[in-house]
C-alpha cells in the first residue's frame, strides 16, 4: 500500500509540474519581461539582464531563507497561473462546443443564432453543388459506361465537411461535429445518444474506455492551450512581443480543438455501432440482427425515465 501511495504521489507531482508549474513559470517570465521592458524597450536584452541581475543580488534573494521564500512564491504564482489557464480553457471549450447556446445571454444568443444561420446557408449551397455533381457523375456512368473523374466530387465532399458533417445546429464547427453524431445515430438507428451513453459506457471494455478518455483529455488540453492564449493577450498592452505568442497559441489551440473533437466524435460513434448490441444483451432486449431502428427504439423505451402520473 505504501508503494502504491508513493507511486501515486509521484505521478500527481509530475502532472502538477508538467501541466501547471512549467507553463505557469514561462508565463511569469514573459509577464516579468513585459513589466520590465515595456513597449519602448521591448527587445532590449541588456536592460532585461541588468534588471534581473540586480534583483538576484538583492539582500533578500542572497540568503537561503530568502531564496526558499522566493522559490515558494514563484511556484505558487506559476500554479495559480496554470489554474487560471485551465479555468479559461474550460470556458473556451464550453463556448466552442456551444451545446447550450440557446440558454446564453441574449446578445450572445443573438450572435450565435446569426452564425448558425450563416453556416446553414453555406452548408445548403455546398450540399446542392455536391448532389448535382453526384447526379452528373451518375448520368455519365449511365450514358457512357465510364466513371467520371472523382476529383471534383471528392473536393466538393471535403468542402461540405469543412462546413459541417450534418446540417448545422451550432455556431461552431466543433460543436456541430459532436452534434452530428447525435443526429446520425438518432436518424439512422433511433439511438438517443445522451440517454444511452451512460449505460453504454459501463459496458465498454477497458481499452475502448481508455481510447475515449484519451481523446476527451486531448480536447481538454487543447482548451487549456486556448486559455493560455487568453492569458497572454492582455500582456500585449505593455509588451508587443506577447502578441505573436498569443496569436500562435490561439491558432495551435484552434487546430488541436478541431482535431481532438473530430477524434472524440469518431470514437463515440464507433463505440455505439460496435457495442450497442452488448448493451441490449445485458438489458435482456431481444434483437434479431445488427443494430437498427427496432433496437434503438427498444433501448430508448427501456432506458427512458417516465414522468410519474399526477396524483
Amino acid at each position: 500500500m505504501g508503494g502504491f501511495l508513493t507511486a501515486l504521489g509521484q505521478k500527481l507531482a509530475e502532472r502538477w509540474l508538467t501541466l501547471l508549474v512549467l507553463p505557469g513559470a514561462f508565463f511569469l517570465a514573459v509577464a516579468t519581461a513585459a513589466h520590465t521592458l515595456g513597449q519602448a524597450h521591448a527587445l532590449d536584452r541588456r536592460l532585461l539582464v541588468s534588471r534581473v541581475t540586480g534583483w538576484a543580488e538583492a539582500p533578500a534573494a542572497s540568503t537561503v531563507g530568502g531564496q526558499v521564500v522566493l522559490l515558494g512564491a514563484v511556484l505558487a504564482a506559476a500554479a495559480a497561473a496554470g489554474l487560471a489557464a485551465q479555468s479559461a480553457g474550460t470556458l473556451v471549450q464550453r463556448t466552442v462546443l456551444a451545446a447550450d447556446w440557446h440558454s446564453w445571454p441574449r446578445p450572445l444568443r443573438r450572435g450565435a443564432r446569426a452564425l448558425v444561420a450563416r453556416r446553414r446557408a453555406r452548408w445548403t449551397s455546398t450540399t446542392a453543388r455536391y448532389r448535382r455533381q453526384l447526379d452528373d457523375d451518375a448520368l455519365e456512368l449511365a450514358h457512357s459506361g465510364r466513371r467520371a473523374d472523382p476529383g471534383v466530387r471528392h473536393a466538393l465532399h471535403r468542402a461540405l465537411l469543412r462546413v459541417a458533417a450534418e446540417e448545422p445546429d451550432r455556431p461552431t464547427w466543433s460543436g456541430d461535429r459532436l452534434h452530428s453524431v447525435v443526429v446520425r445515430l438518432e436518424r439512422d438507428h433511433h439511438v438517443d445518444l445522451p440517454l444511452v451513453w451512460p449505460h453504454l459506457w459501463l459496458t465498454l471494455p477497458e481499452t475502448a474506455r481508455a481510447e475515449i478518455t484519451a481523446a476527451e483529455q486531448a480536447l481538454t488540453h487543447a482548451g487549456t492551450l486556448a486559455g493560455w492564449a487568453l492569458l497572454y493577450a492582455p500582456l500585449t498592452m505593455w509588451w508587443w512581443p506577447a502578441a505573436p505568442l498569443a496569436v500562435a497559441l490561439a491558432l495551435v489551440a484552434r487546430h488541436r480543438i478541431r482535431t481532438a473533437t473530430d477524434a472524440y466524435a469518431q470514437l463515440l460513434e464507433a463505440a455505439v455501432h460496435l457495442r450497442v448490441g452488448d448493451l441490449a444483451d445485458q438489458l435482456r432486449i431481444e434483437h434479431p440482427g445488427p443494430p437498427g431502428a427496432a433496437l434503438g427504439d427498444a433501448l430508448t423505451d427501456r432506458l427512458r425515465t417516465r414522468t410519474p402520473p399526477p396524483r
Side-chain angles (χ1 to χ4, degrees), residues 1-14:
M1 187 66 179
F4 169 75
L5 293 177
T6 301
L8 179 61
Q10 291 176 350
K11 190 171 184 179
L12 291 176
E14 290 175 0

Side-chain angles (χ1 to χ4, degrees), residues 115-131 156-170 173 176 180 183-184 187:
L115 286 175
V116 171
R118 188 172 67 179
R119 298 185 73 250
R120 280 179 178 170
R122 287 180 57 201
W123 188 85
T124 301
S125 62
T126 308
T127 301
R129 293 199 304 271
Y130 177 61
R131 289 176 176 171
L156 287 173
H157 186 252
R158 288 192 297 269
L160 178 63
L161 293 181
R162 282 196 296 270
V163 180
E166 296 287 341
E167 183 177 4
D169 184 70
R170 297 184 184 180
W173 183 92
D176 272 322
S180 67
V183 171
R184 283 200 288 250
R187 180 189 62 212

